[in-house]
Amino acid sequence: MGNEDTVLSPPASAAGERVHELRTLAERSQSWLARAMKDRGHPWHQPTVHRVEAGERTVSIDEAADLAGIFAVPVGSFARQAP
């Protein structure tokens, strides 16, 4: 069971790397992303984005869904690929 949890629950760094990649490609600031997430009901601030991108904070499924909407990508793009 622990192995399944590992595959289904990506490490914060995988989601964080993807957030950083998408934000950079969109040429948007961390503050912009924090405001976009706040507009969707998440209590995000610029330091929150920094912690996510640094792998210091996990991203919930609801947050991942909203990030996917913001960047127009599939929500699965924030998950680690199974080996």
Side-chain angles (χ1 to χ4, degrees), residues 1-2 12 22-24 31 55 64 67 71-72:
M1 184 167 156
L22 291 168
R23 184 182 60 75
T24 302
S31 295
L67 287 165
F71 292 112

Side-chain angles (χ1 to χ4, degrees), residues 28-78:
R28 298 297 186 159
S29 68
Q30 290 180 340
S31 295
W32 174 87
L33 181 54
R35 280 190 305 274
M37 288 296 281
K38 190 173 273 196
D39 289 347
R40 287 163 176 78
H42 302 284
W44 280 37
H45 303 277
Q46 181 276 324
T48 310
V49 177
H50 172 78
R51 287 192 311 274
V52 166
E53 291 183 354
E56 299 168 1
R57 182 189 182 282
T58 60
V59 174
S60 74
I61 262 301
D62 291 338
E63 291 170 333
D66 285 331
L67 287 165
I70 289 167
F71 292 112
V73 297
V75 72
S77 69
F78 295 100

